Amino acid sequence: MRTVRFGVIGCGFISKLRHFPELELNPQAQICAVCDADESRASKVARKYEATVYTNYKDLLECAEVEAVVICLPPHLHPEVAVYALERGVHVMCEKPMATSLIEAERMIDAAERTGTKLMIGFNQRFVPSHTYAYQLIRSGAIGRITGFHSVFGHSGPEHWSLDGNRSFYFNSKQLPFGVLGDLSIHKIDLIRYLLQDECTEINGILAHTGQKQADVYDYSVLSLRMAGGAVGTITSSWSYALQEHTTIVYGENGNLYMECDDQFPLRMMLRNQDAVTYKIPAIMAYERQREERSGVIHGFIDAIVNDKPVPVSGRDGYMALKAILAGYDSALTGKTISL
Ligand SMILES: NC(=O)c1ccc[n+]([C@@H]2O[C@H](COP(=O)([O-])OP(=O)(O)OC[C@H]3O[C@@H](n4cnc5c(N)ncnc54)[C@H](O)[C@@H]3O)[C@@H](O)[C@H]2O)c1
């Protein structure tokens, strides 16, 4: 069986929660090298996987002979590291947001195209069972033409998970300039693009500081979007909810799809004049623990490399979601509707 030699750059919260366990579970992955500016973090995971430790990503890419890297760094570093890897023929799975500007995102896409290497963006929510089933139901025409949507992603804030707590890059406008928009709203923008197979053409944004006293970035965002196909809807994100919320509703001419609105039934379809149809599938917070491939991100990335297939979430997907976020930010600051 063909195996892929992997390096992981950034040994913080998300790589430990998701990428290391998924690489470990995948028989086609070999964790060969790890990198973190904090050597003790890198050494801790390296011991477990018998990997070589680096504190500088360039050294890893020059010396470790890896075929692919997973980039889990503060977002302002993603483009520099990704382009360095892609230009050396190394495939890249980069966490979201892929960059903090469209020019840098374009550089990443261009580097992947020029070198024939794969660039995937870590929008894991596409692989959540309620979302993949809803995608199929929408494609089958079950709820008819889509007219609207409403999606919410909120929790108590990244200080509760980032290894740097209150001092984390999440609260630093130089490292993540658009705050909660780039952390949470961007997931739901990608989800709506995926579910509707449609692009946002117009956006309005409202931003607020509601709870994160230490943040110099906004922690609450409400976006209203118009899609090319005519649907309109809202995406709300917050770092100041006491409890996590992950709900999405898609409205069609014949009925509604409710995703993650009920723990027992993560997907519910209500059609006009009919009883509700429920789907007993793992809910968003449980699904990664119940499937061998877990979130599906690493599984999809390795499948694309080994079988030379397109990655399931492309650089262009990352670019389009970033474009919408930047437009939402611009709208909130100027008070104007932004056309994309
Ligand atoms: N897809 C998702 O659901 C999801 C969830 C959480 C985070 N993320 C993304 O993952 C990325 C990392 O987030 P996190 O929550 O793991 O953050 P984190 O703060 O826990 O970890 C970041 C790590 O990067 C290291 N680092 C910083 N600068 C470095 C450098 N120059 N060289 C090497 N290492 C360096 C830090 O020491 C730290 O260990 C972000 O882009 C974030 O948006 C995605």
Side-chain angles (χ1 to χ4, degrees):
M1 188 185 354
R2 161 141 148 62
T3 55
V4 179
R5 284 175 61 83
F6 267 91
V8 176
I9 305 178
C11 302
F13 169 82
I14 195 61
S15 56
K16 285 210 222 159
L17 175 83
R18 187 170 293 151
H19 305 308
F20 281 115
E22 292 181 18
L23 288 165
E24 188 181 358
L25 274 173
N26 195 308
Q28 292 187 284
Q30 198 189 346
I31 304 168
C32 299
V34 297
C35 171
D36 199 289
D38 181 328
E39 191 170 0
S40 64
R41 288 179 189 168
S43 298
K44 213 166 162 185
V45 278
R47 272 197 293 281
K48 181 166 182 199
Y49 299 112
E50 294 178 12
T52 310
V53 175
Y54 297 89
T55 51
N56 183 314
Y57 74 89
K58 287 186 179 169
D59 293 339
L60 183 152
L61 286 161
E62 297 300 338
C63 307
E65 293 179 3
V66 292
E67 195 178 338
V69 288
V70 178
I71 300 177
C72 311
L73 295 170
H76 70 297
L77 299 172
H78 291 171
E80 171 190 325
V81 181
V83 169
Y84 198 87
L86 293 164
E87 285 184 341
R88 276 151 191 81
V90 173
H91 304 296
V92 168
M93 202 312 286
C94 182
E95 265 303 344
K96 45 52 64 169
M98 67 188 290
T100 56
S101 76
L102 290 177
I103 289 176
E104 288 177 315
E106 255 168 32
R107 274 184 56 225
M108 293 164 73
I109 294 169
D110 177 58
E113 284 174 358
R114 252 188 304 112
T115 56
T117 40
K118 303 208 184 282
L119 170 63
M120 176 167 165
I121 311 302
F123 286 130
N124 57 299
Q125 296 205 4
R126 290 185 178 213
F127 308 108
V128 171
S130 58
H131 299 158
T132 56
Y133 274 80
Y135 171 89
Q136 287 165 25
L137 287 167
I138 293 169
R139 296 282 86 64
S140 75
I143 61 168
R145 188 174 62 84
I146 306 303
T147 56
F149 54 87
H150 175 58
S151 190
V152 181
F153 190 179
H155 54 56
S156 57
E159 71 272 36
H160 300 300
W161 78 70
S162 166
L163 295 196
D164 292 316
N166 285 338
R167 291 174 293 101
S168 172
F169 69 84
Y170 286 99
F171 305 120
N172 180 331
S173 59
K174 291 194 178 62
Q175 301 184 351
L176 183 67
F178 20 80
V180 73
L181 277 171
D183 182 30
L184 304 186
S185 316
I186 199 160
H187 269 299
K188 295 305 186 190
I189 296 261
D190 181 68
L191 179 62
I192 295 299
R193 288 185 64 246
Y194 164 73
L195 289 173
L196 272 56
Q197 291 293 291
D198 201 0
E199 296 296 353
C200 176
T201 55
E202 224 176 74
I203 195 158
N204 271 286
I206 297 176
L207 294 169
H209 288 284
T210 62
Q212 307 295 330
K213 305 278 186 293
Q214 73 280 23
D216 71 342
V217 290
Y218 292 100
D219 69 6
Y220 207 115
S221 134
V222 183
L223 301 175
S224 48
L225 294 84
R226 186 189 302 279
M227 307 299 283
V232 290
T234 57
I235 291 177
T236 300
S237 311
S238 170
W239 283 339
S240 58
Y241 286 175
L243 303 172
Q244 174 138 290
E245 167 134 8
H246 244 308
T247 50
T248 298
I249 307 172
V250 172
Y251 303 92
E253 280 182 326
N254 303 329
N256 305 343
L257 285 171
Y258 298 86
M259 287 153 259
E260 307 298 333
C261 298
D262 174 338
D263 279 349
Q264 215 189 339
F265 299 107
L267 178 61
R268 201 154 39 93
M269 179 166 68
M270 305 262 305
L271 296 178
R272 208 192 293 274
N273 303 326
Q274 289 182 30
D275 290 338
V277 183
T278 54
Y279 299 81
K280 205 153 175 26
I281 49 181
I284 192 161
M285 297 313 291
Y287 86 105
E288 292 192 22
R289 292 189 291 274
Q290 293 178 12
R291 296 163 13 136
E292 203 171 290
E293 70 269 31
R294 295 172 60 120
S295 80
V297 169
I298 291 297
H299 177 80
F301 185 46
I302 293 176
D303 184 39
I305 295 171
V306 170
N307 299 307
D308 198 15
K309 292 176 10 189
V311 290
V313 190
S314 68
R316 182 171 178 278
D317 289 321
Y319 179 95
M320 294 309 287
L322 179 64
K323 191 174 180 187
I325 289 304
L326 289 167
Y329 190 62
D330 202 11
S331 164
L333 297 191
T334 60
K336 291 183 180 155
T337 300
I338 306 291
S339 298
L340 285 94

